[in-house]
Amino acid sequence: MSRASSLCLPALITLAATTVAACGTATAPGLETPTVAASGTTSASAAPSDSSSTSGDSTNPSTSSSAPQSSAGAVCKTDSTIGPTYSATMATKPFGTMVQVTDELQRTLQVSPAKPRQITAADPSLLDPGMQYVAVDVRTHLVSGYTLYMSYIDFNLFDAAHRTCYRTSSPSALPEAQQLSGTTLNSTTKDANGAVVFEVPVGTDLSTMTLAFAGGLNDTPQAQWKG
């Protein structure tokens, strides 16, 4: 080898090393860099977060069915034809007054109803929207005469417009032990006491309601109370 060639060889080696190093750090056109791949992984891990957000929106509490029901438009109504009707001509006594009545079979009975009172239902889910349970505590006593059957169906409650309120003996309204159950009054059993329950619109002024009584499944009232 000549001296000139030997002098140029180190320079060529240095130039080649520099060129290789430079080529190693260059990015080939069209190839995806590791940085892009890492970015794609981050985006995928964020996807469940978006899905969770969408799921949360589908359970908006503002659409809950447990919202309070309005009493607007609620009125007393019934499909029962049993019991006394309202009388516009009969004298009406204040609640709490004992009234003594005698029927066509000469059976004499004393009836004393207390003022209507709102009660907390054992199971309010059976009530129509806007309605509540109202109870009237009743005391009855057979003064004279033979057998007389007493029951909650001997009473009806009317609103200020004289509409008949729905009467119920359901234990979901009031435990049966507290209600006026069917009782045969006679010489040995002379008293029957308990509550008669009705469905009344929420917000009703209970002092405007009228209770009527008619024994023996009659529809002509023998007594009425109000106030």
Side-chain angles (χ1 to χ4, degrees):
M1 178 180 298
S2 66
R3 180 177 175 81
S5 296
S6 62
L7 291 175
C8 290
L9 183 57
L12 289 174
I13 293 174
T14 302
L15 178 61
T18 304
T19 302
V20 171
C23 289
T25 57
T27 302
L31 291 181
E32 189 174 28
T33 65
T35 302
V36 174
S39 174
T41 301
T42 303
S43 176
S45 65
S49 175
D50 296 337
S51 174
S52 174
S53 175
T54 303
S55 175
D57 294 339
S58 65
T59 57
N60 190 338
S62 65
T63 61
S64 172
S65 60
S66 62
Q69 299 289 342
S70 170
S71 62
V75 296
C76 275
K77 58 185 177 180
T78 183
D79 54 4
S80 174
T81 58
I82 300 176
T85 58
Y86 176 83
S87 174
T89 59
M90 173 172 284
T92 301
K93 302 294 185 179
F95 278 109
T97 303
M98 186 275 289
V99 175
Q100 182 166 296
V101 298
T102 301
D103 63 14
E104 66 277 5
L105 298 177
Q106 300 304 306
R107 297 174 296 190
T108 300
L109 183 74
Q110 294 176 344
V111 184
S112 305
K115 289 185 177 182
R117 59 185 176 89
Q118 180 185 350
I119 61 175
T120 301
D123 181 7
S125 66
L126 300 182
L127 278 168
D128 288 337
M131 303 299 285
Q132 65 181 342
Y133 289 123
V134 168
V136 179
D137 297 303
V138 175
R139 301 180 65 84
T140 65
H141 174 74
L142 182 65
V143 177
S144 62
Y146 65 95
T147 301
L148 174 64
Y149 184 76
M150 280 296 306
S151 171
Y152 74 101
I153 62 176
D154 294 325
F155 296 88
N156 265 332
L157 189 68
F158 306 92
D159 65 11
H162 307 152
R163 290 180 291 245
T164 307
C165 298
Y166 181 76
R167 181 183 55 218
T168 179
S169 60
S170 171
S172 65
L174 190 69
E176 292 180 353
Q178 300 179 32
Q179 298 188 40
L180 180 64
S181 58
T183 304
T184 299
L185 302 181
N186 49 41
S187 59
T188 57
T189 302
K190 290 186 171 290
D191 299 289
N193 308 317
V196 185
V197 182
F198 303 90
E199 292 186 12
V200 176
V202 173
T204 298
D205 181 356
L206 300 184
S207 68
T208 66
M209 311 207 77
T210 302
L211 181 76
F213 165 76
L217 298 179
N218 292 316
D219 57 5
T220 301
Q222 295 173 277
Q224 289 185 161
W225 297 263
K226 182 180 180 180

